[in-house]
Amino acid sequence: MVKAYGQEHVYKHPWERVTSASWRKFSDPENKRTLSHIVEVDTLNHKLDPESGKLYTTRAITVHAPGPWFVRKIIGQDICHCVESTVVDARTKSMQLTTCNISLQKFLEVEEKIRYDPHPDNPNEWTVCRQETSIRIKPLSALASMAEKVEQKCAEKFMQNSAKGREVMERMCKYLEAESRGIAM
């Protein structure tokens, strides 16, 4: 069984500001409380392709393990390690992030895809964010009958964390807007 969902959000900020906020959202100390599920973020590599002008980045993200507390007890882990791969194409104004877990794969597979593009109705001022997430609980003998319920709980938690992420992105965009105008916040 796979639980999948998609969300779309419009930031009323230009693409450059939204993508800058995306890079900075984990490092801002004020956001640590809101994004309390994030334990650590490390950049593993980044490469700028001189021919295409695309930036390729890979980050390691450590999070508190998703799902209900009893699942964390059963699997014996409180944290989950993930890899985020990002491609930024400044020429076409596209930023694509794909994140998947690399630990807990015997129990759980999560893949999140986020894409930021200029909004078609107002490309110079607004940015559309499209997010797709799939969650698959692998059947365990002890959890086989509960896998669907566990997937639902995980999906609910991911949706809550997505809302927190959008809140942080909005705050970062406003901060960057003020910064570009020379106003201290």
Side-chain angles (χ1 to χ4, degrees), residues 37-41 59-67 72 75-83 99-111 158:
H37 63 289
I38 304 292
V39 177
E40 188 172 1
V41 178
R59 298 196 291 186
I61 302 176
T62 304
V63 299
H64 290 288
R72 291 191 297 272
I75 62 178
Q77 281 188 260
D78 287 338
I79 62 168
C80 181
H81 301 285
C82 305
V83 171
T99 306
C100 58
N101 62 304
I102 57 171
S103 67
L104 306 179
Q105 289 182 327
K106 291 189 299 188
F107 308 105
L108 170 78
E109 289 179 352
V110 177
E111 182 180 63
F158 273 87

Side-chain angles (χ1 to χ4, degrees), residues 47-56 91:
K47 178 183 89 171
L48 181 61
D49 183 327
E51 290 182 28
S52 68
K54 293 180 181 177
L55 174 65
Y56 297 87
R91 291 178 186 160

Side-chain angles (χ1 to χ4, degrees), residues 5-93:
Y5 68 92
Q7 298 182 88
E8 188 172 295
H9 181 75
V10 176
Y11 291 100
K12 296 198 175 174
H13 299 277
W15 181 85
E16 294 81 0
R17 185 176 303 141
V18 172
T19 54
S20 293
S22 178
W23 289 118
R24 294 171 65 172
K25 71 181 177 185
F26 296 130
S27 61
D28 188 76
E30 191 172 321
N31 297 336
K32 298 229 187 269
R33 223 177 14 261
T34 306
L35 300 177
S36 59
H37 63 289
I38 304 292
V39 177
E40 188 172 1
V41 178
D42 295 301
T43 300
L44 302 176
N45 65 51
H46 57 276
K47 178 183 89 171
L48 181 61
D49 183 327
E51 290 182 28
S52 68
K54 293 180 181 177
L55 174 65
Y56 297 87
T57 303
T58 305
R59 298 196 291 186
I61 302 176
T62 304
V63 299
H64 290 288
W69 66 269
F70 64 86
V71 172
R72 291 191 297 272
K73 286 288 186 194
I74 291 169
I75 62 178
Q77 281 188 260
D78 287 338
I79 62 168
C80 181
H81 301 285
C82 305
V83 171
E84 174 193 82
S85 302
T86 304
V87 179
V88 179
D89 186 341
R91 291 178 186 160
T92 63
K93 291 190 175 182

